[in-house]
Amino acid sequence: MRLIDLNRTRDIGSSCLFAEIGSFNILFDCGTSPKCTGYSSLPDFKKLGAAAIDLILISHCHLDHVGSVPYLIRKQQQARILISQASHIVLPRILNNSVTVMKLQRDEHGIKEYPFYTATDIEAMEQHILPMQFGKSRTLRKDGDEIVITFFEAGHVLGASSILVEHKHRKIFYTGDVLFRDQKTLRGAKWPSCKVDTIITETTRGTTVRKEECSPSSETERLVTTIRNTIDSGGSVLIPAFAFGRMQEILKIINSARKEKKLQANTPIFCSGLGYGLVDDFDMAAKKLSAVDFRRKIAKELNIKIFRGNNPKDIKKQTKEPSIFVLSSGMLVENTSAYNVASALIDDHRNAICFVGFCDDSTPGGELQKCSQGDSFLFKAQNYVAKIFAKMYKFDMSGHADREEILKKVIGMSPRAIVLVHGEEDARNWFMDELIEVAPKVQIWDMNPGEEFTI
Ligand SMILES: [Zn+2]
Ligand SMILES: [Zn+2]
């Protein structure tokens, strides 16, 4: 098997791993980097040379895994896209939202290559899709060669999949982003019990040590208590969250807490447009596939309002009374609704910002987390310097499995080779060091951008 990592950086960038397996040219995921804009946010497709891609295997619909699919399909018309049934439901909305964001960025920052694709491209992409039912294999043939693909539930987010590829006697397993524990809205990962030859594994939480007192359920309780205390003291709460997955999870937590009278009943709740739109898709995935435990009635019970905060006057108006804002982006990327609300709430000591997911160090969310009370913070996109008086909290509610758990599960599949992807430098190093220690006979491959490996 020949492998090339098309992600341009050794971190959570644009996930895209090229694999030549027998006669098949395969891409594991095809994302865009959340930290970059313009061409540099795309995978380095030049490294494909003249290779015609046969299959794009999509693990899930976060943009770092799926954001460049329509762009590539326009150039690789023969490619087929394998994606879980539940991911297929949310895919068009997520990509169309990405078109809207790219158009805004083109107009605001003059990024003339945006949008990389249009609604028409997203529609055209539909003909390339082969939806996959979890646990049900699909055999594909090319030039007398044959490959068998099976998708397994990966937890993490609605539709997320770990993918088994079988070619001749060889088994290759791609973890995608994975979470083994159950969430409020979603079952945990269900991996097959077979042995495999090669595992390609995510390493996101390689540097994160879970503190003993921070079990997922105690973190949920702590979040609810923080919201209640903040509202009680006349402040507002901002929870920056990925619109897809995390936002619905948080809404369900709030709804359950209200029913148990752990939260005030009438506090206004604001959500961003994409997160709210996805409620319909979740409802459909629940009805049709029983893929998720989230129904439209949760949004109704919470009486959610859509946040429309494009100009400072609107933002001021909507942040006047104590409210709960569950807004994207999770990393407070510039000009997003979460970023705008953070800038409006940050200078009042009664308010709170609750981070519930991963924030890259270089994003505004990551930078803000390094600050203390009383520090000044520059909201670059608004050219506005604010004093930080709002309280900031971090909750370990990650959608990724703890590193020790991934290590154990990966070794449990008795692989001969393990390929490390999708993690920061230090995170990969942790996995590398541990694996050398506990599985000395296994070959470990730490992918370098653009470099070719033969396994
Ligand atoms: Zn993800
Ligand atoms: Zn990811």
Side-chain angles (χ1 to χ4, degrees):
M1 171 170 65
R2 200 161 66 89
L3 289 178
I4 306 174
D5 194 355
L6 305 184
N7 184 0
R8 292 170 195 268
T9 47
R10 282 168 60 78
D11 59 10
I12 320 277
S14 47
S15 274
C16 189
L17 181 68
F18 169 72
E20 188 188 76
I21 304 173
S23 336
F24 293 88
N25 288 330
I26 295 175
L27 288 183
F28 289 100
D29 284 327
C30 195
T32 44
S33 171
K35 290 193 293 179
C36 305
T37 49
Y39 285 125
S40 61
S41 68
L42 288 171
D44 192 358
F45 291 125
K46 279 200 195 95
K47 290 281 187 304
L48 288 174
I53 298 299
D54 301 299
L55 305 172
I56 306 173
L57 309 182
I58 296 298
S59 68
H60 65 290
C61 285
H62 280 146
L63 283 179
D64 57 324
H65 296 260
V66 80
S68 62
V69 173
Y71 174 87
L72 189 77
I73 284 292
R74 241 186 11 227
K75 295 172 194 299
Q76 298 268 0
Q77 283 284 312
Q78 72 294 331
R80 281 170 292 178
I81 304 160
L82 275 64
I83 186 165
S84 73
Q85 293 170 311
S87 293
H88 189 201
I89 290 176
V90 294
L91 181 68
R93 190 185 302 274
I94 284 175
L95 292 175
N96 277 303
N97 183 71
S98 166
V99 171
T100 309
V101 173
M102 285 190 278
K103 281 182 179 166
L104 279 171
Q105 289 182 322
R106 175 197 60 197
D107 297 344
E108 278 173 22
H109 305 293
I111 306 169
K112 51 184 185 310
E113 59 266 39
Y114 274 170
F116 286 136
Y117 44 86
T118 61
T120 316
D121 293 320
I122 296 168
E123 249 178 78
M125 182 192 74
E126 191 59 33
Q127 291 153 17
H128 297 254
I129 289 181
L130 298 176
M132 297 291 288
Q133 195 180 327
F134 286 129
K136 200 165 174 227
S137 302
R138 198 186 269 274
T139 304
L140 297 139
R141 292 178 182 86
K142 182 190 173 190
D143 307 334
D145 200 2
E146 199 174 275
I147 203 161
V148 181
I149 315 252
T150 319
F151 277 43
F152 295 89
E153 284 173 75
H156 185 59
V157 78
L158 172 63
S161 316
S162 298
I163 304 167
L164 180 67
V165 177
E166 294 172 85
H167 180 257
K168 299 202 159 90
H169 298 296
R170 192 168 187 181
K171 286 188 170 73
I172 298 139
F173 191 64
Y174 175 59
T175 66
D177 291 358
V178 63
L179 179 65
F180 296 100
R181 71 171 169 86
D182 291 342
Q183 302 180 70
K184 289 263 183 231
T185 56
L186 200 64
R187 289 185 294 267
K190 284 197 181 67
W191 280 7
S193 51
C194 62
K195 289 183 175 179
V196 300
D197 298 283
T198 304
I199 296 192
I200 303 160
T201 182
E202 67 129 320
T203 56
T204 313
R205 277 174 67 94
T207 51
T208 313
V209 185
R210 182 178 287 284
K211 293 182 201 135
E212 237 170 78
E213 66 276 17
C214 295
S215 72
S217 60
S218 67
E219 288 296 86
T220 303
E221 285 300 314
R222 193 163 67 88
L223 174 66
V224 168
T225 309
T226 305
I227 297 173
R228 188 182 60 232
N229 293 345
T230 307
I231 301 294
D232 266 350
S233 63
S236 286
V237 181
L238 166 65
I239 305 171
F242 286 116
F244 171 42
R246 189 88 333 212
M247 198 173 284
Q248 294 77 21
E249 183 78 12
I250 298 292
L251 293 177
K252 184 146 191 203
I253 289 170
I254 294 173
N255 197 39
S256 306
R258 272 195 179 173
K259 286 187 171 166
E260 292 163 22
K261 310 248 182 295
K262 292 178 179 170
L263 281 181
Q264 301 84 342
N266 298 316
T267 318
I269 299 180
F270 290 91
C271 240
S272 14
L274 174 62
Y276 189 76
L278 282 163
V279 163
D280 286 342
D281 295 343
F282 273 57
D283 194 64
M284 192 193 282
K287 263 196 277 189
K288 272 188 161 177
L289 306 166
S290 304
V292 70
D293 189 1
F294 189 97
R295 299 303 299 266
R296 196 182 281 120
K297 75 169 195 221
I298 293 178
K300 281 208 181 110
E301 285 169 4
L302 289 171
N303 192 19
I304 288 171
K305 299 174 173 54
I306 298 186
F307 181 79
R308 302 182 198 283
N310 287 330
N311 68 61
K313 254 196 195 157
D314 281 353
I315 298 168
K316 272 277 170 259
K317 216 158 74 189
Q318 291 178 82
T319 51
K320 249 190 351 215
E321 62 173 317
S323 306
I324 302 170
F325 298 91
V326 189
L327 301 176
S328 61
S329 86
M331 300 198 210
L332 288 186
V333 167
E334 290 181 357
N335 290 320
T336 56
S337 47
Y339 179 87
N340 293 338
V341 169
S343 73
L345 297 183
I346 199 122
D347 60 356
D348 188 331
H349 68 278
R350 292 172 301 175
N351 297 331
I353 301 178
C354 299
F355 292 98
V356 294
F358 173 77
C359 273
D360 190 280
D361 265 356
S362 63
T363 58
E367 282 170 5
L368 201 54
Q369 286 181 23
K370 286 180 250 164
C371 296
S372 313
Q373 294 266 309
D375 286 357
S376 297
F377 188 82
L378 169 65
F379 286 88
K380 280 187 206 130
Q382 303 169 349
N383 198 19
Y384 165 58
V385 179
K387 276 258 186 222
I388 301 173
F389 290 120
K391 295 173 195 78
M392 287 191 285
Y393 302 92
K394 223 175 139 178
F395 299 87
D396 193 348
M397 299 169 77
S398 173
H400 294 262
D402 288 351
R403 58 188 192 175
E404 290 80 7
E405 215 179 353
I406 291 194
L407 197 73
K408 199 172 137 209
K409 297 274 188 190
V410 161
I411 292 169
M413 291 180 111
S414 312
R416 286 188 285 121
I418 296 173
V419 180
L420 306 177
V421 292
H422 202 46
E424 310 272 328
E425 190 72 40
D426 291 349
R428 292 167 190 237
N429 288 344
W430 182 87
F431 274 93
M432 177 70 91
D433 293 347
E434 291 292 311
L435 284 166
I436 289 169
E437 185 93 355
V438 295
K441 289 192 181 139
V442 178
Q443 288 176 41
I444 323 284
W445 303 81
D446 185 2
M447 297 302 288
N448 260 329
E451 211 176 300
E452 187 172 320
F453 293 82
T454 304
I455 297 180

